[in-house]
Amino acid sequence: MKKFFVLLLMVAFFACNQKQKGFEIKVDLKGAEGQVLLEKRGESQWVPVDTAEIINGVAVLKGQVDVPEDHYLSVLGQRGKTIVFVENKDMTVQGNIDSLEQVVITGSETHDEYLKVNDKIREIGEQYMELYNQAREAATSGDTTRATQLMQQVEEMYESANTMQEDFVRNNPASFATPYFLSRVQHGLDVEELDELVINLDPQLNAVPSIVQLKKRLEKLRTVAVGQIAPDFTMNDPDGNPVKFSEVYAQNEYTLLDFWAAWCGPCRAENPNIVAVFNEYKDKGFSVFGVSLDREKDAWLKAIEDDNLTWLHVSDLAYWKNAAAQLYAVNSIPSSLIVDKNGKIVAKNKRGEELRQTVSELLD
């Protein structure tokens, strides 16, 4: 009996130690001095997880996570962060302070899964931004045909990156990298498509904070789905005049409500396409109402002028806390929807040639 009691104590002690096992991340960044910070995204702000002094070029971060999830590493006082999928294991981060995006991270299977997809997405992103710059040059020189062709390629590459992430979510429903990719593609999916992906997730992901928030967001998205009446809002234009959305769409047969920002690369890449569709169909009853998620008024106004966005614009310069974006559950841009003159939502997130086709079907 005594031996059995000792055995129980040993099992309990082992289980306790196992439960308390957390992560230990050895950070070796050449050129780094001071403190290393590990943090994660909260609902509205960054949440510090741990800090560590850099001693003899190395810092050691420690802590514990409930489930493997994306965290972000930086050096205090330095710009830039790099993503790290943290697991309760011994991990290493090696690289140079001048190129955080190129650090090598070992010890996390979740991070390895993330890299297999993200490396391909990064390559695609570099390619479509190069094509976007070529398209702008072509448009500036008056070669609209080439500009249009290049923008179609940009859109195709952008969509291929989204498809790649959606495929990962579908094919890896139990991966702890899946919530990250799902959060990146959710803005381009309608409620039914998003619901399908969430329903098929492995139950072990239910504890991931981003999945908890996504399920809450799904409830809000149902109120702004195709077929619903668009929630009304009032926001100031660049001159400080209040503009009511319902008064805008009542003047047009169809109105594109476009959430964008000057700092958003994909938004700026899509702007020439919106301009082209607007110019082609504005005399037939189509218009655009731009809602900017900018923080700096000067940058916002410069982007409007540079991209030739000649429609109505509003913003509260509140960044991601933009009141209209919150109302429409926007957490990624570009994001858009089309409403008729009565405010009924008839389409969502149509970009590139698909936007032109949709507007054409509605008005021609």
Side-chain angles (χ1 to χ4, degrees), residues 84-102:
V84 182
F85 280 83
V86 177
E87 301 184 25
N88 288 323
K89 296 180 178 179
D90 293 336
M91 300 172 56
T92 62
V93 176
Q94 292 181 303
N96 194 299
I97 185 60
D98 296 327
S99 53
L100 279 178
E101 71 281 358
Q102 296 178 7

Side-chain angles (χ1 to χ4, degrees), residues 1-18:
M1 186 69 178
K2 184 177 180 181
K3 290 182 179 180
F4 179 70
F5 181 69
V6 171
L7 179 62
L8 284 178
L9 287 176
M10 291 177 64
V11 171
F13 177 76
F14 178 76
C16 182
N17 281 347
Q18 285 293 95

Side-chain angles (χ1 to χ4, degrees), residues 92-353:
T92 62
V93 176
Q94 292 181 303
N96 194 299
I97 185 60
D98 296 327
S99 53
L100 279 178
E101 71 281 358
Q102 296 178 7
V103 297
V104 176
I105 297 169
T106 58
S108 168
E109 293 179 5
T110 304
H111 196 89
D112 293 342
E113 293 175 349
Y114 154 78
L115 279 182
K116 288 179 181 178
V117 179
N118 198 67
D119 285 348
K120 296 177 182 177
I121 293 173
R122 180 185 297 175
E123 182 178 346
I124 292 173
E126 292 173 352
Q127 292 173 356
Y128 78 59
M129 284 308 298
E130 175 61 28
L131 289 175
Y132 166 66
N133 290 330
Q134 293 178 23
R136 285 180 62 87
E137 292 175 2
T140 301
S141 65
D143 191 348
T144 56
T145 299
R146 175 169 169 73
T148 300
Q149 292 173 343
L150 288 170
M151 285 308 302
Q152 288 177 348
Q153 293 180 48
V154 169
E155 180 64 23
E156 290 171 1
M157 295 183 73
Y158 180 81
E159 289 303 324
S160 71
N162 282 340
T163 299
M164 189 181 301
Q165 295 174 91
E166 289 177 39
D167 289 343
F168 181 89
V169 172
R170 288 191 178 91
N171 298 329
N172 300 273
S175 170
F176 283 100
T178 286
Y180 173 83
F181 290 118
L182 184 54
S183 69
R184 291 183 58 168
V185 301
Q186 59 177 301
H187 67 280
L189 305 174
D190 59 33
V191 174
E192 290 74 18
E193 292 172 325
L194 190 54
D195 216 4
E196 177 190 356
L197 291 178
V198 171
I199 288 174
N200 290 324
L201 293 178
D202 189 281
Q204 73 173 347
L205 299 186
N206 289 337
V208 177
S210 64
I211 297 301
V212 174
Q213 293 302 316
L214 178 55
K215 289 183 177 181
K216 293 179 180 178
R217 181 170 177 265
L218 263 171
E219 293 300 317
K220 183 178 288 188
L221 282 173
R222 292 189 178 95
T223 68
V224 291
V226 172
Q228 301 295 319
I229 298 299
D232 203 5
F233 64 90
T234 300
M235 196 165 287
N236 288 349
D237 67 12
D239 295 323
N241 301 312
V243 181
K244 194 172 185 179
F245 181 40
S246 59
E247 294 179 354
V248 175
Y249 64 65
Q251 299 176 35
N252 310 295
E253 292 299 323
Y254 294 96
T255 302
L256 177 74
L257 177 62
D258 181 38
F259 292 94
W260 73 294
W263 48 261
C264 169
C267 302
R268 304 295 295 275
E270 174 63 11
N271 278 343
N273 178 62
I274 299 177
V275 170
V277 175
F278 172 73
N279 289 335
E280 183 175 352
Y281 290 96
K282 63 182 180 181
D283 294 333
K284 295 184 178 182
F286 175 71
S287 190
V288 181
F289 188 49
V291 178
S292 167
L293 274 65
D294 276 295
R295 287 182 289 193
E296 300 176 4
K297 185 175 181 179
D298 289 345
W300 172 39
L301 299 183
K302 186 176 186 303
I304 291 174
E305 181 178 1
D306 289 350
D307 293 1
N308 298 311
L309 312 182
T310 57
W311 46 80
L312 279 171
H313 294 272
V314 296
S315 181
D316 55 13
L317 299 177
Y319 197 43
W320 287 109
K321 293 184 180 180
N322 178 281
Q326 295 287 314
L327 185 64
Y328 281 82
V330 172
N331 64 358
S332 183
I333 52 176
S335 180
S336 64
L337 54 86
I338 300 175
V339 301
D340 64 17
K341 65 191 309 178
N342 297 311
K344 181 180 179 180
I345 301 171
V346 298
K348 297 189 72 171
N349 292 314
K350 302 298 182 180
R351 291 191 286 273
E353 183 59 28

